[in-house]
Amino acid sequence: MKKTCRVEFLPFLSRRDYARGTNLLDALREIGLPLKSTCGGKGTCGECLVRIQKGKAASRASSRLPEDVRRRGYVLACQTEIETDLIVELPRFEEQSVRALVSSRFFEAHPDQTSGVFEISPAVRKLRLSLPAPSLADNSSDLRRVQRQIQKSSDLRCREAGHHVLRRLAAAVRKQEGQVTAVLSRSGSEWRLVDLQPFPPPQNIYGLACDLGTTTVVTALVDLEDGKILSTTSGLNQQLRCGEDVISRIDYARKPGRLLELQRLAARTVNSLLEKACREAGVSSADIHDVSLAANTTMTHLLLGLDPRTIREEPYIPTVNTVPAVRAVDLGLDLNPEALVHCAPAVGSYVGGDITAGLLATPILSAEDGTSLFIDAGTNGELVIGNRDWLAACACSAGPAFEGGGTKCGLPAIEGAIEAVTLRENGRLEYRVIGGGKPKGVCGSGLVDLLAELFVHGLIDRAGKLNESKAGKRFVRGEDGAGFLIEKDSRCYWGRDLVISEKDITNLIRTKGAVYSACAVLMKNIGLDLNRLDAVYIAGGFGEHLNIENAVRIGLLPDLERKRFRYLGNTSLTGAYLGLLSEKNRALVETIAAKMTYLELNAEPGYMNEYTGSLFFPHTDIGLFPTVKKILEP
Amino acid sequence: MKKTCRVEFLPFLSRRDYARGTNLLDALREIGLPLKSTCGGKGTCGECLVRIQKGKAASRASSRLPEDVRRRGYVLACQTEIETDLIVELPRFEEQSVRALVSSRFFEAHPDQTSGVFEISPAVRKLRLSLPAPSLADNSSDLRRVQRQIQKSSDLRCREAGHHVLRRLAAAVRKQEGQVTAVLSRSGSEWRLVDLQPFPPPQNIYGLACDLGTTTVVTALVDLEDGKILSTTSGLNQQLRCGEDVISRIDYARKPGRLLELQRLAARTVNSLLEKACREAGVSSADIHDVSLAANTTMTHLLLGLDPRTIREEPYIPTVNTVPAVRAVDLGLDLNPEALVHCAPAVGSYVGGDITAGLLATPILSAEDGTSLFIDAGTNGELVIGNRDWLAACACSAGPAFEGGGTKCGLPAIEGAIEAVTLRENGRLEYRVIGGGKPKGVCGSGLVDLLAELFVHGLIDRAGKLNESKAGKRFVRGEDGAGFLIEKDSRCYWGRDLVISEKDITNLIRTKGAVYSACAVLMKNIGLDLNRLDAVYIAGGFGEHLNIENAVRIGLLPDLERKRFRYLGNTSLTGAYLGLLSEKNRALVETIAAKMTYLELNAEPGYMNEYTGSLFFPHTDIGLFPTVKKILEP
């Protein structure tokens, strides 16, 4: 029998030899291919599903792998050992861009109303220089002549020069009779020469805004001269294979070598999005001179290669909140080697740079008066309440249920995901699929709709239990227990039936309950009645649109006048983008971080009660949701 | 016939397979072994001599390879192709440390008289911090707590932190109940956190002073707390195989990939000396936090990987004179990754940081009054005249003859080199060999003595021609023409006869003539009579001692009162060392560089005349050397 087996992975076309008996998940990790796995190889999360197209593999049975799925060649990679040459088909998540997370619709529509300003004053500048020819009479060095001209043509103090630009300096200043474009980057109170280009430069100067989320990562390639976004790309965080939420990533990082692995996966994720963005925009990555990054505290630590352990251990102290600027090259990012990465500052372990930067994309600090609430329901849920004078924040472990994680039917807002659902009176279920065609799963906004429709039509009760008789033919019972059949003829990885199970619903209740109860406790702590809120801004990975009415009906959002709500989409990316545009915005984020008080929910005595009370549709105390009560009891 | 041949190189014990027909010099370069070669593979310099101990190689004849030498198995590597498995013996230069170049004797004896001060105020500091334990009540990040304590216990502004120290921060601050030692390094007007060590730290903090010469490289490992030199190491610049002087290195760098090769060779040279220094002193290289480098402009460019091409093309403009601090890790130096390399500033293409730093080790700027001359006769000759108010400098292409290069009998001041010579009245030649035993060659101070003795005893005439009858049995005629037999029973690579040929003597005359004529032109240009010089300081690679009397007799130095001369040894290293000790010294070097006027000898109308006049012992115009005249015409 052969000792070495050749395994080919589709659709990546990677091919490699492994010893017979190699675990298939290990083989995938070794080759660096992306695959979700939450449980870390125990066979319990069921997410490392792959299909053996050709060849033989020894696979242990798993309760997470239904027999019919198994018959079609599917196995859990973590439970499978290579026996012969194989062709293995992987799910196509990572290839795809994540839709509708790209930018804040609100900012696009109202750039003048956000806390951050739309003003082009970036930390990178370019200057046209006309250098006098070197001569025996003036034997100043090349660098000195460049510095002199910078001083002449601007008021920028520039004494430092990047090592990489020095290496090209002699050649650059001798072309085109000394007509050059100097690129300067601010470093503290000084400017630093980071590039020399011909004049006129073949390209503008560019920056990269990046929202490095636990689940999804989005980048925007920005022209720093007019602020235009040239290209946005998005995809799943390649760290997903190491765990789905920040806690499992932190645990994953504990073993030797894994922090480095996570660091590289983060860099690789950004690099692949970056490469795509550059290709789309026709920009060379060497012309990207600044990076503005917004991420939660754990993601920031992992990208920087900092040990995240202390983030999850009491008293929950991160290594850094305000991160010194780091050279892109030191993080393995493929940009101009002198480019600096500016991370938005965190407030603490669970309120990170995604929130402080995200506030730039809300009107909270620019509103004339009143008090607003900001909810960012990503993989972690963060809430901020306040106005231009004060800010208070808390975080809750919402889980990634509304971003497509932690549930079997869930998907991020990618092509093939159901993004909106309506249940007609006649029992007909209508839905809209991103990109059209057969559905593969349901994204956050679709899940909110689905739950609300099932709930208000009585197909699920207030605890999330399915009503078999009301669901009728759509009631199914499978490996995961009772479920509601969304679509028989689907493209989901589990088979042809796309089902939301009671287990999935329980998970979603927990998530929405975590957000609502955090909101209630935060308000109580501030001593403010919910009705006193002038505005509620919602951000997160729900998708392009979020049906506020439905979000209230399931008890995710408080029952306030609907016009006070605004769904902002991805505020984190917009915040990163605004930081890139203007140093004024970066300064404002620093102020935001310094001003914000952090409330540790776990230390709040009333929190567990509030949380338990929220584990119903819409809440144990239906009096808190008068409009929902009215619908239920007409 | 075998297609692949295994070649073993002694004494390095490197072994490798090569295709039959591979050029032996290429094979050596490929494997990275050091071998001198000035002509770049043309077979004309005769320096890439190796011995085939075993095996067969096809070697072209060369006028540089005498038949008897050839018979003993010697070949020129560049003219040789591999035919069978080989054992090849290389010369042992690079293994050896270069003696007597280690430090300035003058500074050691008179630390209070030099321009630079002996004061411990380095650009790296350490601070003891007692960090309060993190708690839920104070959720500041680890970095913030460190920064707060730095502010409390010192007046140093420290907002930045190195990326490498951040990676270890969480672990470091949680050991020993928050008792840590912070290491800070100055960056502009701010300090930067570069390391965290336990308290008390297991070691002090250290710096490396380095004199990166064209031929020889010397490093001193310095304790930055008391200024003690813990270990000095020296060796040949591994770039020697790419050419002997700066011009040939610049030419070598023109082809693609070679600049990188030279950069790596420079870094490798420093790393190997560094490693030895650390081993000797029992210091971990990760505890070296600062580097002070003194080198000529070309060597500085090559270490930084900057294209040196413009240095040798009119109008001779280097990329940089004042070099921004560079991280050691960016240069491939194996130190603490946050360590900065500070290069002493150059004045121009041919007056570099070795001279500006070297002046720190002379009394020129601290003398109360008067005017002094500083001569650094390294591979390039540089001269500075001036005092605390003004400085003028020029450079001449002296060539490496007094450092052991460019002549057949010459050696650097290494073990086996003759360092002093006396010719007795009875014709007996007495000499002293470094390390004792049979001589391998003659170093700079030995050559000065030898020439002076041969000259005053009439064995060579004023043009350097040997007097056959006076030389008697010591007159020999070989491949290089007429020569004087120094020792029959030697260990030199050419055979048993150690000979100084007329060709060697001509080379030495050119070198001493270049130095003297530069001196004369510089004085004339300043409008100062030689006799008005209050002091003449001499530095260079001559060896441990230089016989001033003999140096005047051959016309290398002007004929002044002998007590005005002082041989300082290696001023460049001492200057680098002083820069490491105190930022005051670094500031003074900047002032020196800014103050110095540079005189381009090639643009001086009288220079060629002066030079031609100097090509005699001691000079065409013997009136300029009254004391020598007196000896010759008693």
Side-chain angles (χ1 to χ4, degrees):
Chain A
M1 197 177 280
K2 280 176 71 176
K3 278 192 178 167
T4 309
C5 308
R6 168 144 303 185
V7 183
E8 185 170 331
F9 295 103
L10 301 177
F12 299 94
L13 294 175
S14 312
R15 213 169 293 179
R16 194 144 155 196
D17 291 336
Y18 296 93
R20 216 173 73 84
T22 302
N23 177 285
L24 195 53
L25 186 62
D26 289 346
L28 277 158
R29 288 207 172 131
E30 204 181 314
I31 206 169
L33 285 179
L35 191 67
K36 261 172 112 175
S37 166
T38 313
C39 70
K42 297 193 205 82
T44 55
C45 75
E47 291 180 319
C48 62
L49 190 77
V50 298
R51 200 172 139 239
I52 308 289
Q53 247 193 25
K54 205 173 158 183
K56 217 181 127 196
S59 191
R60 279 181 291 284
S62 160
S63 64
R64 303 294 300 166
L65 189 64
E67 196 38 46
D68 62 318
V69 174
R70 193 174 175 148
R71 267 198 304 272
R72 287 189 292 123
Y74 284 95
V75 296
L76 296 181
C78 73
Q79 299 299 309
T80 304
E81 282 166 10
I82 298 168
E83 285 202 312
T84 65
D85 288 356
L86 295 178
I87 296 179
V88 178
E89 203 185 325
L90 305 187
R92 285 158 203 257
F93 279 177
E94 281 74 4
E95 273 194 307
Q96 298 195 355
S97 63
V98 179
R99 191 192 161 198
L101 295 171
V102 155
S103 183
S104 159
R105 304 284 163 195
F106 176 76
F107 172 73
E108 279 167 25
H110 312 278
D112 52 322
Q113 288 181 28
T114 52
S115 307
V117 291
F118 184 84
E119 176 194 278
I120 317 287
S121 172
V124 181
R125 304 281 171 86
K126 75 181 186 192
L127 281 179
R128 177 193 179 162
L129 305 180
S130 296
L131 301 171
S135 73
L136 280 173
D138 172 15
N139 64 356
S140 320
S141 70
D142 292 339
L143 179 61
R144 177 71 72 223
R145 279 179 303 127
V146 168
Q147 286 168 330
R148 260 194 225 133
Q149 289 302 312
I150 290 172
Q151 203 154 26
K152 262 195 196 168
S153 60
S154 75
D155 54 352
L156 307 180
R157 269 166 66 99
C158 176
R159 287 186 302 196
E160 296 292 307
H163 187 215
H164 292 88
V165 66
L166 289 182
R167 292 197 169 172
R168 301 190 301 105
L169 195 68
V173 299
R174 277 170 185 76
K175 280 180 196 154
Q176 294 186 298
E177 299 174 333
Q179 301 299 306
V180 295
T181 306
V183 182
L184 309 181
S185 162
R186 192 199 289 276
S187 154
S189 59
E190 295 248 342
W191 291 80
R192 180 179 162 86
L193 180 69
V194 294
D195 207 354
L196 274 182
Q197 302 175 342
F199 185 87
Q203 297 214 320
N204 286 353
I205 48 175
Y206 305 98
L208 187 78
C210 179
D211 161 39
L212 180 65
T214 311
T215 305
T216 54
V217 182
V218 195
T219 65
L221 178 59
V222 180
D223 186 324
L224 292 182
E225 292 176 50
D226 57 13
K228 267 197 195 127
I229 295 179
L230 303 177
S231 168
T232 47
T233 47
S234 56
L236 295 186
N237 190 327
Q238 291 186 27
Q239 293 177 336
L240 272 173
R241 80 183 77 158
C242 309
E244 209 157 47
D245 52 24
V246 297
I247 297 302
S248 54
R249 304 259 172 99
I250 293 171
D251 290 345
Y252 186 84
R254 296 187 80 99
K255 288 210 182 145
R258 288 179 162 185
L259 177 56
L260 188 63
E261 180 190 352
L262 287 162
Q263 198 285 325
R264 288 199 180 141
L265 287 171
R268 206 187 290 169
T269 304
V270 176
N271 282 339
S272 81
L273 295 177
L274 170 67
E275 197 213 319
K276 199 173 156 200
C278 285
R279 205 171 47 230
E280 279 179 17
V283 164
S284 154
S285 63
D287 288 326
I288 301 180
H289 284 94
D290 198 16
V291 180
S292 178
L293 184 103
N296 66 49
T297 310
T298 302
M299 287 305 112
T300 303
H301 276 59
L302 292 179
L303 177 67
L304 295 171
L306 309 183
D307 188 353
R309 190 172 48 87
T310 59
I311 289 176
R312 74 161 297 189
E313 287 170 3
E314 208 186 305
Y316 318 112
I317 303 295
T319 299
V320 283
N321 281 323
T322 303
V323 186
V326 184
R327 289 200 313 177
V329 72
D330 290 338
L331 302 183
L333 298 182
D334 297 335
L335 308 168
N336 185 292
E338 297 289 346
L340 290 180
V341 178
H342 296 92
C343 299
V347 175
S349 280
Y350 295 104
V351 174
D354 49 348
I355 301 306
T356 57
L359 283 173
L360 285 183
T362 74
I364 294 183
L365 281 93
S366 58
E368 285 297 308
D369 44 36
T371 301
S372 311
L373 176 68
F374 172 58
I375 302 175
D376 190 352
T379 312
N380 241 36
E382 293 97 351
L383 292 91
V384 182
I385 186 168
N387 52 41
R388 67 169 66 181
D389 299 318
W390 59 270
L391 294 165
C394 71
C396 60
S397 314
F402 287 118
E403 283 187 312
T407 61
K408 202 155 145 187
C409 68
L411 269 190
I414 60 175
E415 184 265 314
I418 293 176
E419 61 173 346
V421 180
T422 314
L423 187 60
R424 295 291 169 202
E425 287 303 329
N426 60 8
R428 228 178 81 118
L429 192 77
E430 292 174 1
Y431 56 76
R432 193 169 66 235
V433 175
I434 300 177
K438 300 282 177 197
K440 289 178 176 172
V442 190
C443 76
S445 58
L447 289 169
V448 167
D449 286 358
L450 186 61
L451 292 181
E453 293 291 62
L454 293 179
F455 174 54
V456 299
H457 289 94
L459 277 72
I460 51 176
D461 67 10
R462 288 183 54 195
K465 276 252 163 248
L466 272 161
N467 182 322
E468 188 171 344
S469 66
K470 283 215 175 178
K473 281 184 301 182
R474 288 188 183 266
F475 183 87
V476 292
R477 197 171 287 279
E479 293 282 331
D480 296 310
F484 177 82
L485 177 68
I486 301 165
E487 175 60 82
K488 264 197 102 59
D489 193 20
S490 84
R491 290 186 288 160
C492 84
Y493 286 107
W494 287 98
R496 299 196 48 181
D497 290 354
L498 177 59
V499 169
I500 182 166
S501 65
E502 280 186 350
K503 213 163 152 186
D504 284 352
I505 295 172
T506 305
N507 235 320
L508 288 159
I509 289 183
R510 284 199 195 120
T511 295
K512 76 98 195 164
V515 173
Y516 181 85
S517 53
C519 173
V521 171
L522 183 61
M523 295 300 288
K524 208 169 280 174
N525 194 282
I526 301 295
L528 209 67
D529 191 79
L530 267 172
N531 280 311
R532 295 287 304 281
L533 282 177
D534 294 284
V536 180
Y537 300 104
I538 304 128
F542 294 100
E544 193 163 5
H545 311 283
L546 174 69
N547 186 319
I548 297 291
E549 187 60 45
N550 283 337
V552 174
R553 284 178 181 180
I554 63 169
L556 170 65
L557 298 177
D559 194 354
L560 305 176
E561 265 183 301
R562 303 302 185 260
K563 68 173 187 188
R564 294 194 218 169
F565 290 100
R566 213 149 214 173
Y567 179 55
L568 303 183
N570 187 339
T571 47
S572 174
L573 181 70
T574 307
Y577 163 72
L578 288 168
L580 202 56
L581 282 196
S582 167
E583 295 194 278
K584 210 181 267 180
N585 290 330
R586 267 188 197 153
L588 182 57
V589 184
E590 299 284 342
T591 310
I592 287 172
K595 197 179 272 184
M596 207 180 285
T597 327
Y598 176 65
L599 179 73
E600 176 58 55
L601 282 188
N602 292 320
E604 285 299 300
Y607 178 62
M608 269 319 287
N609 269 349
E610 279 289 352
Y611 175 63
T612 319
S614 308
L615 296 179
F616 289 86
F617 291 127
H619 195 277
T620 339
D621 179 5
I622 193 136
L624 293 170
F625 289 80
T627 68
V628 185
K629 191 177 174 193
K630 219 164 153 188
I631 298 170
L632 296 179
E633 303 157 0
Chain B
M1 197 177 282
K2 277 177 75 176
K3 279 194 175 166
T4 308
C5 308
R6 166 143 308 186
V7 183
E8 186 170 331
F9 295 103
L10 302 177
F12 299 93
L13 294 174
S14 312
R15 210 170 293 180
R16 191 140 156 199
D17 291 337
Y18 296 92
R20 215 174 71 84
T22 302
N23 177 286
L24 196 54
L25 187 61
D26 289 345
L28 277 159
R29 287 208 171 132
E30 202 182 315
I31 207 170
L33 286 178
L35 191 68
K36 260 171 113 173
S37 166
T38 314
C39 70
K42 296 194 203 81
T44 55
C45 76
E47 292 180 318
C48 62
L49 191 76
V50 298
R51 201 174 140 238
I52 308 287
Q53 247 195 25
K54 205 174 159 182
K56 214 180 131 201
S59 193
R60 280 181 290 282
S62 161
S63 64
R64 303 295 297 167
L65 189 66
E67 196 40 44
D68 62 319
V69 174
R70 194 175 173 145
R71 267 199 303 273
R72 286 189 292 123
Y74 284 94
V75 296
L76 296 181
C78 73
Q79 300 299 309
T80 303
E81 283 167 10
I82 299 168
E83 286 201 312
T84 65
D85 290 355
L86 295 177
I87 295 180
V88 178
E89 202 185 325
L90 305 188
R92 286 159 204 256
F93 278 178
E94 281 74 4
E95 274 193 305
Q96 298 194 357
S97 63
V98 179
R99 193 192 161 197
L101 295 173
V102 156
S103 184
S104 158
R105 304 284 161 196
F106 177 75
F107 172 74
E108 279 166 25
H110 313 279
D112 52 322
Q113 287 181 30
T114 52
S115 306
V117 292
F118 185 83
E119 175 195 279
I120 317 288
S121 172
V124 181
R125 304 281 171 86
K126 75 181 186 193
L127 281 179
R128 177 191 180 165
L129 305 180
S130 296
L131 301 171
S135 72
L136 281 173
D138 173 15
N139 65 357
S140 319
S141 70
D142 291 340
L143 179 61
R144 178 71 72 223
R145 280 179 302 130
V146 169
Q147 285 168 330
R148 261 196 224 130
Q149 289 302 312
I150 290 173
Q151 202 155 28
K152 262 193 193 166
S153 61
S154 76
D155 54 352
L156 308 179
R157 269 167 65 98
C158 176
R159 286 185 303 194
E160 296 291 308
H163 187 216
H164 292 87
V165 67
L166 288 182
R167 292 198 169 172
R168 302 189 300 104
L169 195 67
V173 299
R174 278 171 184 76
K175 281 178 196 154
Q176 294 187 297
E177 300 175 332
Q179 301 299 306
V180 296
T181 306
V183 182
L184 308 181
S185 162
R186 191 198 291 274
S187 155
S189 59
E190 295 248 341
W191 292 79
R192 181 180 161 86
L193 179 69
V194 294
D195 207 355
L196 274 181
Q197 303 175 342
F199 185 88
Q203 297 215 324
N204 286 353
I205 50 176
Y206 305 98
L208 188 78
C210 179
D211 160 39
L212 180 65
T214 311
T215 304
T216 55
V217 182
V218 196
T219 65
L221 178 59
V222 180
D223 186 324
L224 292 182
E225 293 175 51
D226 57 13
K228 265 194 195 130
I229 295 179
L230 304 178
S231 168
T232 48
T233 47
S234 56
L236 295 186
N237 190 328
Q238 292 186 26
Q239 292 176 337
L240 272 172
R241 80 182 78 155
C242 308
E244 209 157 49
D245 53 24
V246 297
I247 298 301
S248 54
R249 305 256 173 101
I250 293 172
D251 289 344
Y252 185 83
R254 293 188 81 99
K255 288 211 182 146
R258 287 179 162 185
L259 176 55
L260 187 63
E261 179 189 352
L262 287 162
Q263 198 283 326
R264 291 201 177 137
L265 288 171
R268 207 187 287 168
T269 305
V270 176
N271 281 339
S272 81
L273 295 177
L274 170 68
E275 197 214 318
K276 199 173 157 202
C278 285
R279 205 170 48 231
E280 280 178 19
V283 163
S284 154
S285 62
D287 288 326
I288 300 180
H289 284 94
D290 198 17
V291 180
S292 180
L293 184 101
N296 66 48
T297 311
T298 302
M299 287 305 113
T300 303
H301 276 60
L302 292 179
L303 177 67
L304 294 172
L306 309 183
D307 188 353
R309 189 174 47 89
T310 59
I311 288 176
R312 73 160 297 190
E313 288 169 2
E314 209 184 308
Y316 318 112
I317 303 296
T319 298
V320 284
N321 281 323
T322 302
V323 186
V326 184
R327 290 199 313 175
V329 72
D330 290 338
L331 302 182
L333 298 182
D334 299 334
L335 309 167
N336 185 292
E338 297 289 345
L340 291 180
V341 178
H342 295 92
C343 299
V347 174
S349 280
Y350 295 104
V351 174
D354 49 348
I355 301 307
T356 57
L359 283 173
L360 286 183
T362 75
I364 294 183
L365 280 94
S366 59
E368 286 297 309
D369 44 36
T371 300
S372 311
L373 176 67
F374 172 58
I375 302 175
D376 190 352
T379 313
N380 239 38
E382 293 97 352
L383 293 91
V384 182
I385 186 168
N387 52 41
R388 66 170 64 182
D389 299 319
W390 59 270
L391 294 165
C394 71
C396 61
S397 313
F402 286 118
E403 284 186 310
T407 62
K408 202 156 147 186
C409 67
L411 269 191
I414 62 176
E415 183 264 315
I418 294 177
E419 60 173 346
V421 180
T422 315
L423 187 61
R424 297 288 170 203
E425 287 302 329
N426 59 7
R428 227 177 82 118
L429 192 76
E430 292 175 2
Y431 56 77
R432 191 168 70 234
V433 176
I434 300 177
K438 301 281 178 199
K440 291 178 177 171
V442 191
C443 75
S445 57
L447 290 168
V448 168
D449 286 359
L450 186 62
L451 292 180
E453 294 289 64
L454 293 178
F455 173 55
V456 300
H457 289 94
L459 277 72
I460 50 178
D461 67 10
R462 287 182 55 194
K465 277 251 163 248
L466 272 160
N467 184 322
E468 189 171 342
S469 66
K470 283 215 174 178
K473 282 184 300 182
R474 287 187 184 265
F475 183 88
V476 291
R477 197 172 286 278
E479 292 283 330
D480 296 310
F484 176 83
L485 178 67
I486 301 164
E487 176 61 81
K488 265 197 102 58
D489 193 19
S490 83
R491 291 186 288 160
C492 84
Y493 287 108
W494 287 98
R496 297 196 50 180
D497 289 355
L498 177 59
V499 171
I500 183 166
S501 64
E502 280 187 351
K503 214 163 152 185
D504 285 352
I505 295 171
T506 305
N507 234 321
L508 289 158
I509 290 184
R510 286 201 194 117
T511 295
K512 75 97 195 165
V515 172
Y516 181 85
S517 53
C519 173
V521 172
L522 183 62
M523 297 298 288
K524 207 168 283 175
N525 194 282
I526 300 296
L528 210 68
D529 192 79
L530 267 171
N531 280 310
R532 295 287 303 281
L533 282 176
D534 294 285
V536 180
Y537 301 103
I538 304 128
F542 294 100
E544 193 162 7
H545 312 283
L546 174 69
N547 186 319
I548 297 291
E549 187 59 44
N550 284 337
V552 174
R553 285 179 180 178
I554 63 170
L556 169 65
L557 298 178
D559 194 354
L560 306 176
E561 266 183 300
R562 303 301 185 260
K563 68 172 188 189
R564 296 195 217 169
F565 289 100
R566 212 151 215 172
Y567 179 55
L568 303 183
N570 187 339
T571 47
S572 174
L573 180 71
T574 306
Y577 163 72
L578 288 168
L580 202 57
L581 281 196
S582 167
E583 293 194 280
K584 210 182 268 181
N585 290 330
R586 267 188 198 153
L588 181 57
V589 184
E590 299 284 341
T591 310
I592 287 171
K595 196 179 271 183
M596 207 179 285
T597 326
Y598 176 65
L599 180 73
E600 176 57 54
L601 282 188
N602 292 320
E604 285 300 299
Y607 177 63
M608 270 318 287
N609 268 350
E610 279 288 351
Y611 176 63
T612 320
S614 308
L615 296 179
F616 289 86
F617 292 126
H619 194 277
T620 340
D621 179 5
I622 193 135
L624 293 169
F625 288 80
T627 68
V628 186
K629 190 176 175 192
K630 220 163 153 186
I631 299 170
L632 296 179
E633 302 159 1

